[in-house]
Amino acid sequence: MTFTVINRRTWKREEVFSHYIKQKTSFSLTTELEVDVLYKRVKQKGYTFYPAFLYLVTSVVNKHVAFRMSFNQEGELGYWSQLEPVYTIFHEKTKLFSGIWTSMNRDFNHFHTSYLQDVMTYQGSKALFPKKHMPENTVSVSMIPWTSFTGFNLMIQQDTNYLLPIVTAGKLIEKNQTLYLPVSLQVHHAVCDGYHASMFMNDCQQLANQAHEWIK
């Protein structure tokens, strides 16, 4: 993937960026996505819900430059051409988890197949990050399927310049015979505002409603 360096001398967001990067301000937004259409489509086609959620989230963040901004290894500010999902898998025996990644593919079926292969390979691993050569261009996604929530915050104290988004989902809940999924988005205010967070949630909802178009 390519990394495009931003010219901060001419960047229209420079004043906002400088203000919030100094303040080290991040924020999170949580909402309940209506996933009835998505869930039914996943089950109808014999897929698994978690990789469908990973695919949905990664597709949305890749639509917007604001969610792909980062510092590279040289400390330069820029944005990636594409992000790859890094996600957690739970080990039932030890009650621990590992973080692995699967390369994003425009075709959901291929992504789902790659996901299953990665999970099969690393399920039961004792390492936190068992899959080697994790790329820099990642969006972190996790799911807490044992409980629902109305808010979620992940505190990152050591790296306050971490700009890439973090997404966390909870337990599916049913209201009036419709399924909802609590989803929390955490971003750095230096690169994302409430406007961008709203776009993320709205686009996720739209993609979930259009599940029949990408889950074949």
Side-chain angles (χ1 to χ4, degrees):
M1 294 300 106
T2 59
F3 184 82
T4 301
V5 176
I6 292 174
N7 184 349
R8 296 181 60 178
R9 290 176 296 180
T10 59
W11 190 33
K12 64 181 181 181
R13 190 179 173 83
E14 175 59 27
E15 182 179 6
V16 176
F17 178 85
S18 295
H19 176 77
Y20 286 114
I21 202 71
K22 289 177 183 178
Q23 279 197 345
K24 303 177 181 180
T25 303
S26 63
F27 71 92
S28 64
L29 178 70
T30 302
T31 192
E32 291 180 349
L33 294 181
E34 183 180 324
V35 294
D36 209 60
V37 172
L38 173 62
Y39 187 83
K40 290 177 180 177
R41 183 67 173 180
V42 165
K43 295 305 177 182
Q44 177 189 17
K45 293 297 182 179
Y47 291 116
T48 307
F49 184 77
Y50 191 27
F53 178 68
L54 294 174
Y55 183 90
L56 182 150
V57 166
T58 310
S59 296
V60 170
V61 298
N62 280 333
K63 286 179 58 179
H64 304 285
V65 173
F67 300 124
R68 292 183 273 116
M69 289 190 184
S70 179
F71 290 104
N72 63 12
Q73 292 183 342
E74 288 71 40
E76 299 170 310
L77 176 66
Y79 56 91
W80 298 100
S81 57
Q82 177 176 301
L83 298 186
E84 311 286 4
V86 170
Y87 54 93
T88 54
I89 55 174
F90 184 70
H91 307 306
E92 187 62 41
K93 185 176 181 179
T94 62
K95 308 303 181 188
L96 297 175
F97 68 91
S98 295
I100 63 174
W101 55 278
T102 298
S103 294
M104 187 61 174
N105 192 298
R106 291 189 177 184
D107 180 77
F108 171 68
N109 180 60
H110 289 165
F111 175 79
H112 190 273
T113 299
S114 298
Y115 162 87
L116 292 179
Q117 291 172 345
D118 283 329
V119 171
M120 184 178 298
T121 299
Y122 300 104
Q123 186 66 60
S125 173
K126 296 180 180 180
L128 179 58
F129 299 109
K131 187 175 181 180
K132 304 305 180 184
H133 310 298
M134 184 181 294
E136 293 182 71
N137 53 312
T138 60
V139 51
S140 296
V141 186
S142 61
M143 183 172 283
I144 307 173
W146 307 278
T147 187
S148 183
F149 53 74
T150 57
F152 183 90
N153 291 284
L154 185 66
M155 310 303 179
I156 301 178
Q157 299 295 336
Q158 291 185 334
D159 188 359
T160 54
N161 287 341
Y162 186 83
L163 305 180
L164 294 169
I166 301 173
V167 180
T168 307
K171 182 180 179 180
L172 286 164
I173 52 178
E174 186 175 353
K175 297 180 181 179
N176 299 320
Q177 298 182 325
T178 301
L179 285 176
Y180 293 86
L181 181 71
V183 176
S184 177
L185 169 71
Q186 181 161 315
V187 292
H188 201 302
H189 206 348
V191 294
C192 289
D193 306 321
Y195 167 75
H196 303 100
S198 300
M199 281 200 305
F200 172 84
M201 295 301 182
N202 292 338
D203 285 355
C204 282
Q205 185 62 73
Q206 182 179 25
L207 203 55
N209 294 342
Q210 298 172 340
H212 63 282
E213 297 182 5
W214 52 277
I215 299 180
K216 305 295 186 180

